[in-house]
Amino acid sequence: MILTAAAIRAAQLSGDIVIDPFEPGRLSPNAYDWRLGEQIRVCGGILDAAAVTRCEEHRIPAAGMILQPENLYLGLTWERTCSARYAQLLNGNRDTGALGIWVHVSAPLGHVGHAIQWTLEIRVVRPVRVYPRMTFGKLIFLQVHGDHDTYQQPSAKYAATAGIGLSRLHEELTAPVQETSHDQHHHAAGRHRGRSAVRIARRQRRAPARPVHRPVCAAGRPGLHARPCR
Amino acid sequence: MILTGPEITAAARDGRIRITPFTPAQVNPNSYNVRLGPLLLVYTGDIIDPFQPNPTRPVPIDEAGLVLQPGELYLGHTIEEVGSDVYVPLLFGRSSVGRLGLFVEITAPIGDIGFHGQWTLMLTPTRPLRVYPGMKIGQVMFFVSSGARDLYCGKYQGSAGPQPSRYWHDIRPDLRREAS
């Protein structure tokens, strides 16, 4: 079930949802209208899933910055959001969509327990100007069904991201294989410089009785009021 | 929770969902197929700017179809008016359309409870693609909401035909070229 504005507000007051900074006027009938942050990273050229992404970080000027269709941009939500109770879906809205702006690349889900500013994967259809702290999309909250698990676990790559997160897929592509089976090896021929083969790490298998860690919502941006997330 | 097809049909009949026109054959197991309307809009300026109105030009789709080009943003619309005062609608492209490389919306699938009107589609093809008026292009799903409801009364209420972004509408006139 999707939370209505009244339910989001009630959960925010009780601490089940943390949105920081929170402005009640940004609640829409079934979402919170989040904003683009002030920093952006520009990724041009050829990206390699097995290598660290090279990109330049810029501050978006108050007069705006023109995004170009040929680039991938990594941005950040202005708000830091957290919920140990609800899953979250982050998307654009009709305004940004009709401007030809994708705010993520097919990965809208925030897991229960995720407690970060969201890294955005921004693409545009045509050149478009964006402004710091402009309203950029909608965040909805979903009730979960079943036993709770949380993203706050040591193996979760992005559980404690500070700032704009780069893809860390390369860690999975280069990590040593602990237990192997024949279908979990991928050999790439010559494409990856200096590596004869790239091994796909075994996926972290879910432990059945992992202790639940409460997300630590206090590690926010400096100067912002942080509240405990229950 | 997501509504099943039979529940969508029942809700369309008793008014919990409004789909106009409603055709039972367009009901899927968990969604309703919406059709592409005959008019598109494209932006005519070099740079799209959310802080000011952006000029557009109409592009009609005739019965022989229209070839959409990669790199262009086409604003289309659903023939159907779809909305609900009870459920949250989400619009996605149909998989048959996705397999043609066509994005039907741009990261904004979520509708507001209380919105009623034709939905604007944000069409962007991966490769040149011919589209036809009236083709079934997207699917609307309906999710149960939790909490007291406050109905949408925003700037796109009652939309008819494709709607360019009215982001600028929310910007105070003196700030329309500067960030807030």
Side-chain angles (χ1 to χ4, degrees):
Chain A
M1 289 201 285
I2 295 175
L3 269 58
T4 63
I8 295 171
R9 180 59 166 154
Q12 190 264 337
L13 290 171
S14 74
D16 280 333
I17 287 174
V18 174
I19 299 173
D20 192 9
F22 179 83
E23 296 175 18
R26 294 191 161 273
L27 288 168
S28 50
N30 38 263
Y32 185 84
D33 294 336
W34 57 272
R35 300 199 272 175
L36 175 66
E38 296 181 331
Q39 300 294 120
I40 202 158
R41 288 186 175 183
V42 185
C43 309
I46 295 174
L47 305 179
D48 185 340
V52 177
T53 306
R54 289 204 184 90
C55 46
E56 294 173 4
E57 184 156 334
H58 300 274
R59 189 180 177 84
I60 305 171
M65 173 178 172
I66 296 169
L67 306 187
Q68 299 291 344
E70 65 268 24
N71 289 335
L72 171 69
Y73 298 88
L74 298 179
L76 202 58
T77 60
W78 179 244
E79 294 83 2
R80 190 165 160 280
T81 75
C82 171
S83 179
R85 171 164 290 190
Y86 303 106
Q88 306 170 50
L89 285 178
L90 182 97
N91 282 293
N93 62 24
R94 286 172 219 201
D95 289 324
T96 48
L99 293 164
I101 301 171
W102 280 275
V103 306
H104 64 68
V105 178
S106 69
L109 177 65
H111 294 90
V112 170
H114 129 152
I116 56 170
Q117 284 169 275
W118 296 62
T119 291
L120 308 170
E121 304 110 12
I122 303 169
R123 271 180 66 204
V124 298
V125 185
R126 289 164 53 91
V128 56
R129 188 182 293 273
V130 296
Y131 297 86
R133 284 183 275 143
M134 67 184 283
T135 302
F136 223 49
K138 289 186 178 296
L139 178 66
I140 65 173
F141 294 88
L142 296 162
Q143 288 182 337
V144 298
H145 177 74
D147 291 340
H148 282 225
D149 199 353
T150 176
Y151 196 69
Q152 295 290 320
Q153 50 185 281
S155 62
K157 287 197 290 294
Y158 309 112
T161 304
I164 302 172
L166 296 174
S167 173
R168 287 167 58 186
L169 184 63
H170 60 90
E171 294 174 12
E172 295 177 21
L173 295 172
T174 55
V177 176
Q178 290 144 9
E179 295 173 62
T180 58
S181 64
H182 66 280
D183 62 348
Q184 285 163 337
H185 280 259
H186 285 221
H187 296 277
R191 199 169 72 77
H192 300 284
R193 301 160 301 279
R195 269 180 253 135
S196 58
V198 173
R199 298 190 294 176
I200 306 289
R202 180 186 178 82
R203 275 204 186 141
Q204 297 285 345
R205 187 170 281 170
R206 287 192 169 264
R210 192 190 305 115
V212 173
H213 299 272
R214 291 290 180 198
V216 183
C217 288
R221 276 172 290 142
L224 281 173
H225 178 62
R227 277 154 292 199
C229 190
R230 297 194 307 182
Chain B
M1 284 192 292
I2 184 169
L3 267 59
T4 63
E7 192 61 23
I8 292 171
T9 301
R13 295 218 162 108
D14 67 25
R16 283 173 287 149
I17 291 173
R18 277 155 48 190
I19 301 176
T20 314
F22 178 80
T23 306
Q26 285 172 233
V27 178
N28 297 312
N30 304 103
S31 65
Y32 186 85
N33 281 339
V34 289
R35 294 171 295 158
L36 177 63
L39 179 66
L40 305 176
L41 293 179
V42 294
Y43 292 109
T44 55
D46 289 336
I47 292 166
I48 301 170
D49 190 333
F51 278 24
Q52 61 182 14
N54 294 283
T56 58
R57 123 182 110 77
V59 181
I61 314 173
D62 63 29
E63 293 300 319
L66 176 81
V67 178
L68 306 183
Q69 297 294 340
E72 184 57 277
L73 171 60
Y74 300 88
L75 301 176
H77 72 95
T78 62
I79 290 175
E80 293 80 8
E81 295 175 9
V82 181
S84 172
D85 290 349
V86 179
Y87 303 111
V88 181
L90 267 73
L91 171 79
F92 289 96
R94 295 177 69 206
S95 64
S96 301
V97 170
R99 288 168 202 187
L100 296 168
L102 178 66
F103 293 86
V104 169
E105 49 86 26
I106 297 184
T107 58
I110 303 160
D112 289 307
I113 297 178
F115 168 82
H116 295 277
Q118 292 177 333
W119 286 54
T120 291
L121 307 173
M122 303 128 190
L123 304 172
T124 48
T126 306
R127 294 173 53 85
L129 175 70
R130 187 178 291 276
V131 296
Y132 300 87
M135 66 186 278
K136 294 197 264 301
I137 197 161
Q139 300 182 327
V140 182
M141 308 159 203
F142 297 91
F143 286 79
V144 178
S145 61
S146 170
R149 295 191 291 268
D150 188 14
L151 302 182
Y152 177 82
C153 54
K155 55 189 183 291
Y156 299 113
Q157 186 65 288
S159 292
Q163 304 294 314
S165 177
R166 274 183 255 157
Y167 190 100
W168 56 271
H169 198 270
D170 299 332
I171 306 293
R172 287 199 343 244
D174 56 317
L175 294 176
R176 277 197 186 149
R177 281 306 301 260
E178 287 182 1
S180 54

